Amino acid sequence: QEQLAESGGGSVPTGGSLKLSCKASGYIYHNNTMAWIRQAPGKQREAVAGMNTNGKTKYADSVKGRFTISRDNANNMYLQLDRLQPEDTAMYYCAADPNVRLVEIDIRVWPTLFQYWGQGTQVTVSS
């Protein structure tokens, strides 16, 4: 049984928008910091946004002002992607972990810390 399932990826032109969704199991959703982590071809994974169970958020500098993370009461996490650029092209993963402390831990090391991962959804931005 999948614990994290992403959807909403697609292909858009530069400047376009997408909204990614992540459906989580109840246990995962209510007990973990959750994040969106992406991986472009030939590059290392990069965490772009996260939210803890208190609703606090954190963003990578590369997406601040363009991406927005949110959660609802039905075990869904979202990532609104606006003003997309070709460099945003990547597989986007939903991830969760009970021990990652959003404020204290540098977002650049998150990809090595998260325990639970979805299968990913592809985002492609054409120039």
Side-chain angles (χ1 to χ4, degrees):
Q1 180 180 357
E2 286 185 333
Q3 300 193 80
L4 296 169
E6 305 93 336
S7 61
S11 296
V12 296
T14 297
S17 297
L18 285 171
K19 187 171 185 176
L20 308 183
S21 300
C22 173
K23 182 72 175 182
S25 68
Y27 177 82
I28 294 289
Y29 189 80
H30 293 291
N31 294 281
N32 288 258
T33 292
M34 296 184 69
W36 288 96
I37 297 174
R38 67 185 181 186
Q39 187 167 25
K43 294 188 176 181
Q44 292 186 337
R45 288 182 173 178
E46 175 193 23
V48 296
M51 179 179 277
N52 64 15
T53 55
N54 295 324
K56 187 168 181 62
T57 61
K58 192 170 188 175
Y59 295 91
D61 288 343
S62 59
V63 306
K64 277 182 184 176
R66 300 190 299 121
F67 292 6
T68 305
I69 191 171
S70 61
R71 300 169 74 147
D72 67 15
N73 293 325
N75 300 353
N76 296 302
M77 180 177 69
Y78 303 99
L79 187 68
Q80 177 68 41
L81 294 73
D82 295 317
R83 292 186 280 142
L84 281 161
Q85 301 298 315
E87 53 266 34
D88 296 317
T89 294
M91 185 71 78
Y92 283 71
Y93 297 92
C94 174
D97 192 272
N99 299 312
V100 170
R101 298 172 68 87
L102 199 79
V103 175
E104 292 86 348
I105 297 178
D106 191 323
I107 193 171
R108 291 171 293 182
V109 304
W110 286 7
T112 65
L113 301 176
F114 277 74
Q115 180 178 356
Y116 303 104
W117 292 78
Q119 295 300 308
T121 186
Q122 178 69 36
V123 171
T124 302
V125 185
S126 58
S127 57

